[in-house]
């Protein structure tokens, strides 16, 4: 059973770069076994077969139970970039399919696991090297943000990281990364100083403004297209005391109307108080209709703008003041959230109170016949993408899509959770139906923005086509061709928001014939 609070524990996961799963073939199984045998000969200390305790323990740490249904032929836990390089060379020589994981917090089957191939698990590439001299921190992709904040806390420093402690560093940053500081700093990825990355031929390079600047540019929305990143360097910031709260209410139209109205006012006025961050969640858990407000203030004493969005008494309230690690442990912790099956979808819209309410109402209709399904909970998260955040993202590959509305926006995350594998299809269909309604209705009402946040998107959503300009997408393809000329990552790295292929003249004629 889920507590009312547990619906929050899916929220605000700075999710890893999402992956799609290519259908697995018998030949893939055979090649994977050959690769695993080769790994055992050449890199025995990092190879874990299904019979090993390490294999089972790592499999059990995936965020979504759909991921644990997949069983790779072997798991590899490299401890250095040179081992990652050797792994890729062997995979390429034998055409072995593989997946890559850091935190394992992706939300659907095959997103960072694979059936029959092998997994490159970056968990042991978890360095956290803080340089007080130049104000930077060097992070391994297998570190979690909780580990990063804990290591930096004694020095009263922080960086542009995720908002849930068990999210992995690598995927979060390769998908853009929205943080508590995004309202003044924009996306985390736009502040990365250097990527250490292993290319498809096994070459290890550093990509930054001076070395491989084209790769450095593309990796800000790189997902699984360009290489396996083995280190990311970020700037550090002085860590302030943080105040946070989480209030849970039963949904009743009067005070829910107040919540939505005051929330919209808050978003519009946030430019005058960028330290204050808030999100609202509407949904159902355990058959209860719940509204939740999540509040963070980057300081010890919240300003007047931090007052509650309703005068109604919450049924559950949590408040804390402390360091960033305290906040992620107590307010944004996932320790109470049981393993479950999940589906995520996202869209971006303009502010509109009636649409927010109608979105929730449509959700209650779609899920009304599924209330008896074990562990069912669904929720719609609204978090602000203010004009200030958008302008702070002017260097981002997503900037043109976001600014096209010339308005404050709200990033929507639809999360559906359930317990049993037998319900996978019906739940995924219901989630897709709600997402499709939201897109269509927002478009009809003139509220829809094209941006799809890579870290929240489902495997079917056209992130690159919607979020990046045609010109930038063409440049990303050129960079891809330069650094992966044989398409190794397209063929073998199963999953990822792969760059869409440029349409040929024949493709365009075919499209026109269907109009």
């Amino acid at each position: 059973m889920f507590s009312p609070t547990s619906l929050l524990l899916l929220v605000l996961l700075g999710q890893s770069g999402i992956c799609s799963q290519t259908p697995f073939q018998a030949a893939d199984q055979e090649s994977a076994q050959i690769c695993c045998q080769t790994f055992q000969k050449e890199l025995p200390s990092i190879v874990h077969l299904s019979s090993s305790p390490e294999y089972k323990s790592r499999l059990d740490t995936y965020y979504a139970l759909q991921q644990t249904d997949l069983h790779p032929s072997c798991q590899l836990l490299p401890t250095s970039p040179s081992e990652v390089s050797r792994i890729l060379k062997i995979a390429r020589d034998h055409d072995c399919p593989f997946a890559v994981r850091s935190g394992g917090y992706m939300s659907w089957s095959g997103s960072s696991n694979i059936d029959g191939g092998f997994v490159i698990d970056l968990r042991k590439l978890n360095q956290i090297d803080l340089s007080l001299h130049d104000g930077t921190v060097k992070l391994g992709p297998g570190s979690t943000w909780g580990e990063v904040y804990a290591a930096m806390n004694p020095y009263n420093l922080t960086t542009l990281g995720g908002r849930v402690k068990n999210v992995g560093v690598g995927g979060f940053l390769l998908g853009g990364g929205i943080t508590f500081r995004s309202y003044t700093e924009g996306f985390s990825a736009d502040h990365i100083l250097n990527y250490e990355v292993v290319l498809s031929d096994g070459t290890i390079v550093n990509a930054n403004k001076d070395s491989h600047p084209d790769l450095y540019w593309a990796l800000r929305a790189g997902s699984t297209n360009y290489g396996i990143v083995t280190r990311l360097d970020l700037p550090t910031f002085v860590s302030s005391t943080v105040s946070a709260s989480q209030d849970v209410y039963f949904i009743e139209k009067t005070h829910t109307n107040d919540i939505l109205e005051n929330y919209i006012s808050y978003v519009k006025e946030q430019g005058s108080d960028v330290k204050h961050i808030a999100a609202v969640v509407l949904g159902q858990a355990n058959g209860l209709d719940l509204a939740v407000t999540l509040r963070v203030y980057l300081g010890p004493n919240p300003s007047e703008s931090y007052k509650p969005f309703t005068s109604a008494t919450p049924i559950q309230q949590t408040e804390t003041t402390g360091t960033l690690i305290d906040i992620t442990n107590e307010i944004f912790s996932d320790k109470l959230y049981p393993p479950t099956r999940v589906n995520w979808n996202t869209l971006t819209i303009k502010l509109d109170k009636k649409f927010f309410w109608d979105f929730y109402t449509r959700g209650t209709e779609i899920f009304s016949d599924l209330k008896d399904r074990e562990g069912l909970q669904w929720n719609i998260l609204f978090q602000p993408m203010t004009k200030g955040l958008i302008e702070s993202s002017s260097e981002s590959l997503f900037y043109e899509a976001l600014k096209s509305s010339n308005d404050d926006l709200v990033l929507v995350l639809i999360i559906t959770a359930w317990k049993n594998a037998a319900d996978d299809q019906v739940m995924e269909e219901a989630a897709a139906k709600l997402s499709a309604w939201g897109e269509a209705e927002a478009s009809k009402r003139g509220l829809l923005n094209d941006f799809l946040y890579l870290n929240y998107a489902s495997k079917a959503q056209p992130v690159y086509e919607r979020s990046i300009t045609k010109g930038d997408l063409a440049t990303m393809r050129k960079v891809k061709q330069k650094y992966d000329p044989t398409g190794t990552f397209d063929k073998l790295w199963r999953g990822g928001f792969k760059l869409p292929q440029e349409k040929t003249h024949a493709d365009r004629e075919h499209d026109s014939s269907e109009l």
Side-chain angles (χ1 to χ4, degrees):
M1 295 289 286
F2 296 95
S3 69
T5 306
S6 68
L7 74 87
L8 296 172
L9 305 177
L10 291 165
V11 168
L12 298 173
L13 303 182
Q15 180 80 320
S16 303
I18 309 292
C19 306
S20 61
Q21 183 78 345
T22 302
F24 205 79
Q25 307 296 327
D28 295 333
Q29 176 75 48
E30 183 177 351
S31 65
Q33 290 175 347
I34 292 171
C35 272
C36 288
Q37 291 169 2
T38 305
F39 296 141
Q40 283 184 293
K41 292 178 182 177
E42 297 194 22
L43 300 164
S45 65
I46 69 169
V47 182
H48 298 276
L49 303 179
S50 59
S51 57
S52 76
E54 180 74 18
Y55 180 105
K56 179 66 165 58
S57 66
R58 289 302 290 159
L59 190 64
D60 289 344
T61 60
Y62 280 100
Y63 161 67
L65 283 183
Q66 295 102 306
Q67 294 270 65
T68 65
D69 293 340
L70 304 179
H71 294 85
S73 296
C74 62
Q75 296 174 353
L76 306 179
L77 275 74
T79 60
S80 68
S82 60
E83 288 179 342
V84 175
S85 173
R86 185 62 191 135
I87 290 166
L88 284 181
K89 289 176 181 177
I90 293 170
R92 189 181 57 177
D93 289 346
H94 296 285
D95 287 327
C96 302
F98 62 88
V100 180
R101 69 166 286 185
S102 55
Y105 255 68
M106 308 181 203
S107 62
W108 48 272
S109 180
S111 53
S112 56
N113 198 9
I114 191 169
D115 222 6
F118 69 88
V119 169
I120 303 174
D121 187 327
L122 303 177
R123 187 67 187 91
K124 291 189 176 180
L125 291 173
N126 59 350
Q127 70 180 97
I128 305 169
D129 293 338
L130 185 61
S131 173
L132 300 179
H133 173 69
D134 61 9
T136 65
V137 61
K138 294 177 172 62
L139 301 177
S143 301
T144 65
W145 289 111
E147 291 168 343
V148 171
Y149 298 146
M152 297 181 73
N153 191 56
Y155 302 94
N156 196 34
L157 293 172
T158 187
T159 191
L160 299 170
R163 295 166 290 181
V164 171
K165 68 175 186 176
N166 285 340
V167 168
V169 165
F172 173 83
L173 292 172
L174 289 170
I178 297 175
T179 82
F180 292 127
R181 290 177 174 264
S182 285
Y183 300 93
T184 55
E185 306 295 338
F187 291 93
S188 297
D190 300 320
H191 295 269
I192 294 173
L193 303 171
N194 181 73
Y195 300 87
E196 180 185 74
V197 56
V198 184
L199 304 179
S200 60
D201 64 358
T203 302
I204 303 170
V205 302
N206 282 284
N208 52 57
K209 289 181 179 179
D210 300 316
S211 173
H212 306 286
D214 50 353
L215 179 60
Y216 173 68
W217 174 85
L219 281 170
R220 290 180 296 165
S223 190
T224 58
N225 289 284
Y226 298 101
I228 298 178
V229 175
T230 52
R231 198 190 78 227
L232 306 103
D233 304 349
L234 286 165
T236 61
F237 300 83
V238 174
S239 179
S240 64
T241 299
V242 182
S243 304
S245 65
Q246 167 188 297
D247 294 336
V248 183
Y249 305 86
F250 288 127
I251 289 182
E252 295 177 7
K253 189 143 190 181
T254 300
H255 67 248
T256 305
N257 181 73
D258 290 341
I259 289 172
L260 296 178
E261 190 170 280
N262 289 320
Y263 178 65
I264 288 173
S265 296
Y266 147 78
V267 175
K268 289 181 177 179
E269 297 169 1
Q270 195 200 30
S272 62
D273 189 6
V274 294
K275 290 185 176 182
H276 180 197
I277 304 152
V280 168
V281 184
L282 302 178
Q284 293 181 338
N286 289 339
L288 302 175
D289 296 87
L290 301 172
V292 184
T293 62
L294 291 162
R295 315 288 289 278
V296 173
Y297 188 79
L298 302 180
N301 301 306
S303 67
E304 178 65 19
S305 68
Y306 196 84
K307 63 185 179 182
F309 291 146
T310 177
S311 59
T313 302
I315 60 173
Q316 186 170 335
Q317 185 175 50
T318 306
E319 295 180 337
T320 191
T321 297
T323 64
L324 194 56
I325 190 63
D326 295 328
I327 300 303
T328 56
N329 279 339
E330 296 177 33
I331 300 295
F332 297 96
S333 168
D334 57 0
K335 62 185 177 182
L336 299 178
Y337 186 70
T340 192
R341 311 180 82 80
V342 294
N343 179 279
W344 286 25
N345 285 276
T346 189
L347 66 153
T348 305
I349 58 174
K350 296 180 182 179
L351 298 162
D352 188 281
K353 183 179 68 173
K354 186 176 188 308
F355 181 76
F356 292 175
W357 179 259
D358 291 347
F359 209 160
Y360 157 73
T361 301
R362 184 63 180 136
T364 63
E365 295 168 353
I366 289 173
F367 287 98
S368 61
D369 294 333
L370 302 174
K371 288 184 177 180
D372 62 335
R373 305 304 171 105
E374 185 181 2
L376 170 64
Q377 64 173 329
W378 62 269
N379 50 80
I380 306 170
L381 162 70
F382 304 96
Q383 62 177 303
M385 301 288 282
T386 62
K387 287 181 181 178
L389 183 153
I390 294 168
E391 288 308 311
S392 296
S393 306
S394 60
E395 298 299 314
S396 171
L397 290 167
F398 309 130
Y399 175 64
E400 294 297 330
L402 286 167
K403 80 167 187 177
S404 64
S405 294
N406 192 30
D407 207 343
D408 293 306
L409 302 171
V410 172
L411 178 61
V412 179
L413 172 60
I414 307 165
I415 308 172
T416 307
W418 64 98
K419 200 72 175 178
N420 297 321
D423 292 329
D424 283 1
Q425 182 174 349
V426 67
M427 290 301 180
E428 289 172 1
E429 288 174 350
K433 188 174 183 180
L434 180 57
S435 178
W437 181 90
E439 284 260 345
E441 194 64 21
S443 180
K444 179 181 176 182
R445 300 187 194 187
L447 302 173
L448 187 66
N449 178 272
D450 274 343
F451 176 66
L452 294 171
Y453 182 37
L454 191 153
N455 283 344
Y456 285 176
S458 76
K459 58 185 176 182
Q461 294 188 288
V463 170
Y464 287 122
E465 296 93 326
R466 289 267 297 272
S467 303
I468 295 176
T469 67
K470 290 182 179 180
D472 282 346
L473 204 49
T475 304
M476 291 182 78
R477 290 192 189 101
K478 291 178 182 177
V479 176
K480 165 73 172 173
Q481 177 62 28
K482 177 180 177 181
Y483 289 97
D484 185 20
T486 60
T488 296
F489 289 137
D490 292 328
K491 292 182 290 187
L492 299 181
W493 191 343
R494 296 301 167 86
F497 274 124
K498 302 299 184 186
L499 295 175
Q501 297 299 309
E502 189 171 14
K503 289 186 176 182
T504 65
H505 180 68
D507 290 332
R508 288 190 288 271
E509 285 188 344
H510 177 72
D511 290 347
S512 298
S513 70
E514 294 181 345
L515 295 177

